[in-house]
Amino acid sequence: MFPNNDKVTVSQMVTISILTMVGIGILTLPRELIGEAGTDGWMVLILGGLGAIAVSFTHGYIIKSFPGKSYFEILSITLTKPIAYILGLYTIIYLLGIMSYVVRTFGMTVKEFLLPETPPEFVILPILLVSAYLVRKGIEVLGRMAEIIIVPLSAVIVILFFLSWRNAEVSNLLPVFQTPSLQIIKAVPFALFSFLGFEVLLVFGGFMDKPKKATRVGPIAIFFVLLLYQLLNASVLTVLGSHQTERLIWPLLATFRTIELPGAFIENVEIFVMAVWVFTVFMTMVPLYLGGCLLMMELAGGKDHSYYSLLPLPFIAVLSVWDDSIADVYESLGKFSDYTAYGVVLLVPLGILIALLVRKRKKNEDRTA
């Protein structure tokens, strides 16, 4: 399909999916869960995770049914080529739009905690250029880099959470089972979209060396992210409590601020937290960027996606500096997701699945006729 790119293994695809899901949302997730369901947010997370696993399984089933086919080719086969062009453009807007908001939030957070006197634009531009460079190298390099990063990243995160528990109050997790069932059910869509990122499987599925195992990728990745989110939520609540968590923009960073290392040989643990987070955000941006470039190449009829790696930069740069405050960024991100995420993650795969089932039914009828 793409002669200048190699395949990725199932484990690499799982790792890419995990790192794409864990990015910006991890900073604000505990606060948003408190707003949705109070201290019962852990239940909302479980239900949302189960819903995301079910949706990701259908994504994997689509890839499994069209081994070696790209997302655009699958759209063309199932929904006709004219519709494939429209939905392909729609997906590009979604991928690059989400990346723009990730970049903007990254720039504002770095300015707030590390470089207060530096304009966000001077923080955003370097990471965009580095992302474009990695995108030029293709899916194989992305897969290998994800595997290299995931282990030390996970180790540092677990250590930081362990150190934060020194100041924990388990009673802050109470009360439980106090939120009305209807309110929890209404919060499930929010929790489901806290796992956004697993849909990159649809775009990268054609590169998998074992597409028959594609149905495993999303569920495995979401399971590990769900464990991380539960650990994150519990740690923040036990350290800060629900009332304080609800009033903070980035409660995760506030939690790690409470860490005091034995001997006090490191004054500011926040630097380590931000370093880990920068790597995580970078590995969230690149798959979205690469997915957008691959689709642009296919829609244009090109053969090498690397020629398109710089093309979206002006679009991303303009969107990433559009909003003036972090509150505006999150508000715009919510509206943008409402108009795009539901379509890319739910509606388009559902349409492909229905068309696929109809095709299979017709084939069976032709055989029996």
Side-chain angles (χ1 to χ4, degrees):
M1 181 182 57
F2 300 117
N4 62 326
N5 285 275
D6 293 323
K7 299 290 185 178
V8 289
T9 64
V10 174
S11 62
Q12 287 175 336
M13 195 64 239
V14 169
T15 307
I16 291 172
S17 300
I18 290 173
L19 292 173
T20 307
M21 282 187 273
V22 181
I24 296 300
I26 198 172
L27 294 179
T28 60
L29 183 65
R31 170 174 59 81
E32 292 172 336
L33 284 174
I34 289 293
E36 294 288 342
T39 51
D40 288 325
W42 60 274
M43 289 192 292
V44 175
L45 266 182
I46 291 175
L47 293 175
L50 292 175
I53 286 173
V55 174
S56 69
F57 183 86
T58 64
H59 291 187
Y61 180 77
I62 291 171
I63 299 302
K64 180 180 177 180
S65 301
F66 296 95
K69 298 293 184 182
S70 70
Y71 184 51
F72 181 73
E73 288 173 332
I74 294 173
L75 288 171
S76 300
I77 293 170
T78 56
L79 302 176
T80 72
K81 205 151 192 175
I83 294 178
Y85 276 101
I86 296 172
L87 295 180
L89 180 60
Y90 180 66
T91 305
I92 291 172
I93 293 172
Y94 165 75
L95 292 172
L96 298 183
I98 291 294
M99 181 189 170
S100 301
Y101 286 109
V102 171
V103 172
R104 182 57 171 169
T105 307
F106 166 78
M108 287 186 166
T109 308
V110 169
K111 177 179 173 62
E112 177 73 21
F113 289 94
L114 295 179
L115 304 170
E117 302 301 325
T118 304
E121 292 78 10
F122 288 92
V123 176
I124 289 171
L125 184 59
I127 199 168
L128 280 178
L129 293 175
V130 174
S131 299
Y133 177 77
L134 183 56
V135 164
R136 287 178 60 87
K137 298 301 178 180
I139 187 70
E140 182 202 5
V141 175
L142 174 61
R144 285 192 275 115
M145 185 170 181
E147 280 191 320
I148 292 171
I149 287 178
I150 192 71
V151 175
L153 208 61
S154 301
V156 173
I157 289 173
V158 170
I159 291 171
L160 288 171
F161 277 125
F162 178 75
L163 291 173
S164 71
W165 294 339
R166 294 162 59 92
N167 306 311
E169 289 288 343
V170 180
S171 59
N172 287 337
L173 295 174
L174 302 174
V176 294
F177 305 113
Q178 299 296 308
T179 308
S181 300
L182 183 60
Q183 185 175 340
I184 289 178
I185 292 172
K186 287 181 178 179
V188 169
F190 154 76
L192 191 152
F193 284 100
S194 297
F195 296 91
L196 280 181
F198 64 83
E199 67 277 5
V200 295
L201 174 62
L202 287 172
V203 183
F204 298 148
F207 292 101
M208 289 185 63
D209 62 345
K210 296 178 181 178
K212 295 298 181 183
K213 297 183 179 181
T215 51
R216 305 179 186 181
V217 173
I220 293 173
I222 292 168
F223 174 76
F224 281 107
V225 174
L226 176 59
L227 290 180
L228 173 63
Y229 282 175
Q230 291 288 15
L231 176 65
L232 161 67
N233 188 53
S235 297
V236 171
L237 281 181
T238 53
V239 173
L240 301 179
S242 59
H243 295 294
Q244 189 174 357
T245 300
E246 195 173 12
R247 288 164 173 77
L248 294 171
I249 297 177
W250 295 302
L252 177 63
L253 296 178
T255 300
F256 289 137
R257 275 178 173 174
T258 65
I259 295 176
E260 295 180 4
L261 295 179
F265 64 92
I266 296 177
E267 182 179 353
N268 193 353
V269 180
E270 223 174 290
I271 299 299
F272 288 95
V273 178
M274 292 301 298
V276 170
W277 183 68
V278 166
F279 276 109
T280 306
V281 169
F282 178 69
M283 292 306 296
T284 297
M285 291 166 49
V286 174
L288 298 172
Y289 198 167
L290 177 59
C293 290
L294 288 172
L295 282 173
M296 287 174 62
M297 179 199 70
E298 288 196 88
L299 264 64
K303 299 295 183 182
D304 189 348
H305 77 278
S306 63
Y307 295 123
Y308 299 84
S309 60
L310 294 177
L311 195 59
L313 275 183
F315 171 77
I316 296 170
V318 169
L319 281 183
S320 65
V321 297
W322 191 267
D323 297 299
D324 295 326
S325 67
I326 192 64
D328 292 335
V329 171
Y330 283 121
E331 183 180 355
S332 299
L333 175 59
K335 292 179 180 178
F336 181 80
S337 299
D338 288 341
Y339 286 106
T340 57
Y342 284 100
V344 172
V345 178
L346 295 175
L347 299 181
V348 175
L350 181 61
I352 295 173
L353 191 61
I354 292 172
L356 176 60
L357 295 176
V358 170
R359 283 166 55 87
K360 286 187 174 182
R361 184 176 178 179
K362 284 185 178 180
K363 284 184 179 180
N364 292 333
E365 289 176 352
D366 291 340
R367 288 175 183 174
T368 55

